[in-house]
Structures are given as C-alpha cells and as structure tokens.
C-alpha cells in the first residue's frame, strides 16, 4: 500500500505542477521542468523513463479528443470482510477517492481511435495500486461484454499490483470472472488488445491482462505473476536485473511489442483500423501473365530458389504491403525469428501475413536458423492464424524453408505435434488462406504454412516432400546425387502445377527474383490481389468446405465416404 500511495502522490504532484516547477526523474534523477514532463506524457526527456499516468490521463492520450464516454463512473462496492489493517477498508477507499478523484481503480467507456470505435478499460495504479476487487472485476467484465455486443475491439491498459487483499476470496474470483468474459468475447470473434504499463502483477497479470490477442508493453514495464522480492525470498537467489521487464518478456515470447509511450497511439490506431477495414475488397489486379513452362533443369531451379540474394519474407513484406505491424511470440516459450508475421495491408485491404524468414547475411541467417522453425515458431504462426480469424481478415503465408528444424530441442518440444496442429488449424480456418512459395518449400515444415485455398508459386521455386539431398541420401545412398533426386522428385514450380497442386505461377525477372526484387514483389502483389478477389465474400462455411474438398482430392486415389454422403457436406463446419 505504501508503494501505491507513493505512486498516487507522484501523479498528483505532476498534475498539480505549476508551469515553473521542477521535478526529479525517478529513473535518472535528472531535474526536469514540469511543463516539459507534462508535454511528454510523463516520459523523462533525459533517460526515457516512463513515469506512471493516471487513468484519465491515459484515456486522454489514447482516445480521439472529445470521443470518450465513461460508463458506470460512480460504481462502488462494499466492505464484505470488514477488513482492517493500518486503516479500515472504507477509510482506505475514501482516501484513495480523495487522492485520485476516481470512485474506483478502473475507468471504462467507449471512444474512437483514429475515428474508429473502441471500448477502453484503464486501471489506475494510484488507486490502491490498481488492485482488482469486485468493482474493478465488474467493470472489466462489463467492458468485455460491451465490446462483444458492439463488435468493436476492446483495449485494456493495466497497471496493477494484483488482486485486492481487502476483499479476500471475492477478489481472487475476479480473475476467473474477467477471464470468462474475455473467453466469451473471443468466441464472438471480437479482438482484444492488452496494454501493460508498469507494473502488472498477480491476479491482473494472470487473468485478463495476459489474454490479449495482441499484447503490448510500454518500455520499462515490469510484469509477472509473483513479484521479484517474493521470488527471491522463496528460491533464495538473486534474479537477473532484466528479469520480468518488458524486454525480457518479449524475448521469451510473452509479448507482441514493446513500445515507447509516444508510439502507442499510432500502433493501436493501426490495429483498430485493421479490424474496422476487415472485409474490404482487394484492389483490381492486372491479368495473370503466362509463365513460360519450358523445362529448365530442376537442379538449376533449386539453386535459384536457394540463391542467397533472393528476397526473404521481410523483403517481400516491405515491398508488397503498404503497412505492416509486426507481432511476436508464441505466448509460451519464445519468439522464433525463423517465422515472421503480423498485420499488413495489401493496398487498403488488411490481412495477416506469416512467413518463413531466412537471413540476408550469415549472422542474420544464424539468428533466423536459416529459415527452419522450431515448434514455438509454428505455435506463433498458429496464434497469428487465430488472430486473423478473430479480426475477420485473410491470411497470406510466404513459404521459404528447407524444412522444420530437426534438432534435439525441437524434438523435445514436440515438433511433430506443432506441425500437425498447424495443419488442423489452417484446414478449418474460417477466413481465406493464400500461400505464396517464394523459395524452397521443404517437407512438412513448409506444408504447415501452406494448407489453404490457393497455392501460388514464383517461377523459380520448388516444393517437395523432402530436400534433394535428403532424398539422395536415403534412396540413392549418396548425397552427391542430389541433382538426380531433384529431377526425380519433379519439384519445380511448373512441375508442381502440372500435378494439379499449384494454382498459379508468378513470373520472375530474368535471372531470378534477386536480380530485381521490386519487380518480383510487384508480381506477387498482383497475384495476391487476383487470388483474394476470387475468394472475397465467400461465406465461411463454404470456404472451409471448399478447402476440405481441395485437400480431399489430393493424391492418386480417393475413397468414397463410408456413410455414402459426400465428405464435404459432412465436414462443412470442421
């Protein structure tokens, strides 16, 4: 409580600063002019330390001017336990209300961001440490229900020490209550963006704050379930300085983005705009250009597909899409840089783009594991696919991998299970899925991102069950016979199209995509416009049924349904 009172005092002091006042930064101890600090939203201009904002200041930072309409501003609770520590609970509440001007630690309501409607829910750390009791739980639950009914995104900004001890078990149960409300909102297909502002711990961290489809933390935010001092006391050892910081959590796959406060509104505005523009028809595209299909030597095509100068996924994302908000992490164990993805715009049409990503030089290739994902890379891809379904936007995947990473750690983390779950998810995804093979399409590691409604292949790309070297080693007993294996596998783009697998070949500049990346990207953009326009407006049930029919038809033989009915009709809702 002493920490909460200090936080409240700091906020009150900043809000009441006269124009000529000076304040000492809590980060670097520099003396900063009060008016300068206010203009910077309480971010120190000397060291970048992010001081706390009150709930109303935060609403003012995020909502379009004059757009916020608060709901249930006067909601108050009781004293169910008749709790007393140094102060009786009613007296502590009265003190917090006087110090902050709020009736409780949460402010909720409707607003617009960039002209698009949202529901906002903001916790104020200055009110009893932003702790979650019955009223805060009720307000967060109400905000989720309101967003679900209006079908607009919920944006929650959390700054909290956790569950409110003065309300005992009733406070603990707010964790389940708010989580259940977010779950209902998810099932309704309404997105939730969770913003973490220093600090976020305990019952808030382990409930609604951790359930965002997108989770963003401000620079320097500390977050976790148990606090640092508690952990050190229990395990009897000192923790690393960066432990539980936003940057630490980002590295471990828990967060999508870590942003400076000045960047927060712009990114949130783009996320909200993506949801608002869902269903926008893709722009017209020029007709497809026929690719000359004279048989090049397949081994030569393999070498072009692997050319180190060939654009990687980020290179194409930068050129094909007009805007891109990168998202990170699998929410479990890490952020696999062999998979990149996020929200993107093809002209004015939002999509979620996901791609295998090789490096552009040796150090980057090592960092990205040469485009070979670990299981947490596929879990990251699945999270982004689910996000696309929640936003109601198509998925575009860019395939370029020798295959899934075959190491010991990958097997320990269940590489097979991760790939299999990705296949199940993408087969039943209720939004269009378009795949572009931009280099190597190697084995199940490629297929995990390639189970969709359209398969497009650049002219000089390959797609097969195994690498030529792997096939040569296993079947020819000599890896040096990889060129012969490549020819036997019939893995070039024209050959894959000849097997009825690829829907369209995308022309490349003479000599390969690496000779003119901009022209190669322009051809991909046109192919995507054509494919997405074809799929636009298809009902989700029909989309999933057609995808199942497509998958059902692959192979040299198919069997009739054991029920005597067409398998598509039986699986329309799979």
């Amino acid at each position: 409580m002493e920490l909460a009172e200090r936080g409240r005092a700091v906020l009150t002091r900043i809000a009441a600063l006269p124009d000529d006042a000076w304040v000492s930064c809590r980060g670097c101890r520099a003396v900063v002019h009060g008016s300068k600090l206010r203009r910077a939203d309480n971010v120190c201009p000397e060291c970048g330390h992010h001081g706390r904002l009150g709930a109303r200041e935060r609403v003012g930072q995020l909502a379009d001017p004059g757009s916020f309409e608060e709901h249930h501003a006067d909601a108050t609770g009781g004293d169910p336990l008749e709790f007393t520590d140094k102060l009786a609970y009613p007296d502590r509440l009265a003190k917090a209300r006087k110090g902050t001007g709020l009736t409780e630690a949460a402010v909720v309501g409707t607003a617009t961001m960039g002209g698009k409607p949202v529901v906002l829910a903001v916790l104020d750390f200055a009110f009893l440490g932003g702790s979650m009791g019955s009223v805060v739980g009720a307000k967060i639950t109400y905000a989720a229900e309101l967003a679900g009914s209006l079908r607009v995104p919920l944006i929650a900004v959390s700054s909290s020490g956790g569950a409110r001890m003065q309300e005992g078990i009733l406070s603990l149960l707010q964790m389940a209550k708010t989580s259940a409300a977010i779950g209902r909102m998810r099932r309704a297909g309404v997105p939730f963006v969770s913003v973490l502002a220093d600090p976020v711990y305990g019952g808030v961290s382990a409930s609604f704050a951790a359930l965002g489809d997108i989770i963003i933390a401000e620079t320097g935010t500390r977050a976790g379930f148990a606090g640092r001092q508690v952990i050190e006391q229990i395990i009897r050892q000192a923790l690393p300085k960066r432990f539980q910081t936003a940057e630490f959590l980002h590295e471990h796959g828990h967060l999508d983005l870590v942003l400076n406060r000045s960047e927060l509104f712009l990114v949130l505005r783009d996320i909200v705009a993506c949801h608002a523009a869902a269903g926008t028809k893709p722009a017209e595209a020029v007709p497809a250009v026929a690719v000359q299909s004279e048989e090049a030597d397949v081994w030569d095509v393999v070498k072009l597909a692997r050319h180190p100068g060939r654009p990687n996924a980020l290179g194409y994302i930068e050129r094909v899409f007009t805007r891109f908000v990168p998202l990170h992490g699998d929410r479990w164990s890490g952020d696999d840089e062999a998979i990149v993805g996020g929200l993107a715009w093809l002209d004015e049409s939002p999509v979620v783009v996901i791609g295998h990503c090789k490096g552009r030089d040796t150090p980057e290739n090592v960092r990205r594991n040469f485009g070979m994902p670990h299981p947490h890379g596929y879990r990251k891809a699945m999270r982004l696919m689910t996000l696309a379904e929640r936003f109601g936007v198509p998925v575009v995947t860019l395939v370029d991998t020798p295959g899934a990473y075959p190491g010991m750690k990958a097997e320990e983390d269940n590489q097979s299970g991760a790939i299999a779950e990705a296949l199940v998810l993408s087969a039943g995804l209720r939004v269009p899925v378009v795949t572009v093979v931009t280099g190597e399409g190697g084995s199940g590691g490629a297929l995990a991102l390639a189970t969709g409604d359209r398969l497009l292949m650049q002219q000089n790309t390959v797609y097969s069950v195994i690498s030529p070297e792997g096939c040569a080693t296993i079947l020819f007993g000599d890896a040096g016979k990889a060129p012969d294996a490549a020819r036997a596998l019939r893995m070039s783009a024209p050959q894959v199209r000849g097997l009825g697998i690829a829907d369209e070949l995308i022309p490349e500049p003479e000599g390969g995509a690496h000779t003119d990346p901009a022209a190669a990207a322009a051809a991909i953009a046109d192919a995507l416009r054509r494919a997405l326009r074809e799929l636009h407006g298809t009902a989700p049930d029909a989309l999933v049924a057609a995808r199942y029919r497509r998958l059902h038809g692959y192979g040299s033989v198919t069997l009739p349904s054991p029920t005597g009915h067409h398998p598509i009709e039986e699986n329309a809702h799979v």
Side-chain angles (χ1 to χ4, degrees):
M1 289 307 164
E2 290 77 8
L3 181 61
E5 290 173 1
R6 287 201 301 272
R8 183 181 68 238
V10 169
L11 290 172
T12 302
R13 189 166 69 250
I14 291 170
L17 284 175
D19 288 340
D20 58 351
W22 296 84
V23 179
S24 175
C25 169
R26 296 177 68 186
C28 66
R29 304 301 177 189
V31 178
V32 184
H33 201 271
S35 60
K36 190 173 184 180
L37 199 59
R38 278 197 299 273
R39 287 195 301 271
D41 287 326
N42 202 18
V43 176
C44 176
E46 301 297 326
C47 71
H49 174 74
H50 283 50
R52 296 190 182 116
L53 285 182
R56 299 204 188 283
E57 289 82 4
R58 180 72 69 175
V59 168
Q61 180 209 12
L62 297 181
D64 292 340
S67 71
F68 183 69
E69 180 181 336
E70 188 170 356
H71 293 204
H72 301 295
D74 298 327
T76 57
D79 181 14
L81 305 185
E82 298 182 349
F83 193 98
T84 299
D85 45 57
K86 293 179 182 177
L87 282 177
Y89 184 39
D91 294 337
R92 198 172 285 285
L93 287 170
K95 187 176 179 181
R97 287 165 185 154
K98 182 178 179 181
T100 63
L102 303 175
T103 57
E104 254 294 348
V107 172
V108 303
T110 56
T112 61
M113 295 185 65
K116 310 301 181 186
V118 298
V119 172
L120 281 177
V122 182
L123 300 189
D124 195 317
F125 191 82
F127 194 107
L128 299 187
S131 55
M132 181 165 64
S134 297
V135 176
V136 171
K139 283 192 168 188
I140 297 298
T141 299
Y142 169 81
E145 293 171 346
L146 180 62
S149 66
L150 297 176
R151 303 199 64 78
V152 301
L154 170 63
I155 297 175
V157 184
S158 300
S159 181
S160 174
R164 188 171 297 176
M165 290 177 285
Q166 292 90 340
E167 294 187 25
I169 188 67
L170 293 175
S171 179
L172 179 70
L173 288 170
Q174 303 310 306
M175 295 172 63
K177 178 179 177 177
T178 56
S179 298
I182 297 299
R184 288 171 65 90
M185 197 177 72
R186 279 183 177 178
R187 290 189 291 275
V190 176
F192 169 38
V193 183
S194 178
V195 179
L196 311 183
D198 187 63
V200 187
Y201 282 107
V204 169
S205 172
S207 60
F208 69 91
L211 295 176
D213 298 301
I214 298 172
I215 303 180
I216 300 170
E218 283 192 332
T219 299
T221 293
R222 295 163 295 164
F225 181 57
R228 183 187 187 94
Q229 290 180 333
V230 172
I231 296 172
E232 288 184 330
Q233 182 182 31
I234 291 173
I235 68 173
R236 303 294 183 184
Q237 66 184 64
L239 295 169
K241 185 177 180 180
R242 296 176 70 253
F243 183 74
Q244 290 187 327
T245 64
E247 294 72 17
F248 172 91
L249 296 172
H250 185 259
E251 289 173 8
H252 286 78
H254 301 185
L255 305 176
D256 285 288
L257 294 164
V258 178
L259 299 176
N260 291 324
R261 189 167 291 163
S262 60
E263 303 171 300
L264 186 58
F265 170 77
L266 298 176
V267 172
L268 289 174
R269 181 195 61 189
D270 277 352
I271 292 169
V272 171
C274 176
H275 179 261
T280 302
K281 192 171 186 177
E284 290 277 2
V286 299
V289 176
V291 173
Q292 297 298 321
S293 59
E294 64 264 11
E295 287 293 322
D297 183 76
V298 180
W299 185 243
D300 289 336
V301 176
V302 170
K303 289 187 285 187
L304 281 174
R306 294 173 172 175
H307 194 286
R310 195 173 185 88
N312 68 358
L314 285 176
Y316 279 130
I317 288 170
E318 291 164 1
R319 293 177 174 94
V320 170
F321 301 102
T322 53
R323 280 185 287 171
F324 177 57
V325 178
L327 302 175
H328 300 85
D330 70 339
R331 295 284 191 275
W332 186 265
S333 61
D335 178 50
D336 188 348
E337 293 189 70
I339 297 281
V340 297
L343 304 176
W345 281 256
L346 181 63
D347 308 310
E348 297 303 316
S349 300
V351 303
V352 165
V353 61
I354 308 166
H356 300 98
C357 195
K358 296 177 178 178
R360 285 171 274 209
D361 54 33
T362 299
E364 187 183 2
N365 248 326
V366 171
R367 196 176 81 242
R368 297 191 184 280
N369 207 33
F370 295 85
M372 295 184 290
H374 290 78
H376 60 279
Y378 292 114
R379 291 195 293 265
K380 171 182 175 179
M382 286 187 277
R383 190 176 72 78
L384 295 178
M385 291 178 191
T386 303
L387 176 69
E389 193 170 64
R390 197 108 67 236
F391 272 64
V393 300
V395 173
V396 171
T397 62
L398 306 177
V399 169
D400 183 13
T401 180
Y405 182 62
M408 185 171 72
K409 176 63 174 169
E411 293 300 317
E412 290 174 349
D413 291 345
N414 196 1
Q415 184 74 283
S416 297
I419 292 171
E421 291 293 345
L423 296 174
V424 170
L425 177 64
S426 55
L429 212 60
R430 295 173 66 80
V431 293
V433 182
V434 177
T435 295
V436 184
V437 180
T438 61
E440 293 182 89
S443 190
L447 183 63
L449 297 192
T451 302
D453 305 295
R454 297 289 186 274
L455 177 67
L456 316 176
M457 295 184 69
Q458 285 187 285
Q459 180 178 356
N460 296 307
T461 62
V462 294
Y463 190 17
S464 185
V465 66
I466 194 171
S467 70
E469 292 82 358
C471 177
T473 299
I474 295 170
L475 297 183
F476 293 78
D478 180 2
K481 293 190 175 182
D484 295 331
R487 297 176 191 115
L489 286 167
R490 299 185 60 78
M491 60 195 301
S492 73
Q495 291 170 331
V496 173
R497 190 180 189 196
L499 291 170
I501 308 300
D503 297 283
E504 182 180 329
L505 303 186
I506 304 173
E508 294 185 26
E510 186 175 353
H514 60 283
T515 65
D516 191 345
I524 289 176
D526 271 330
L528 287 174
R529 293 184 189 105
R530 287 189 294 272
L532 291 172
R533 280 181 71 89
E534 287 177 7
L535 297 166
H536 179 78
T538 306
D541 284 350
L543 193 70
V544 174
R547 193 179 304 140
Y548 187 77
R549 181 167 59 246
R550 178 187 179 94
L551 294 171
H552 196 268
Y554 290 146
S556 58
V557 64
T558 58
L559 300 177
S561 168
T563 65
H565 298 291
H566 198 287
I568 306 314
E569 304 307 320
E570 296 171 5
N571 294 276
H573 296 278
V574 173

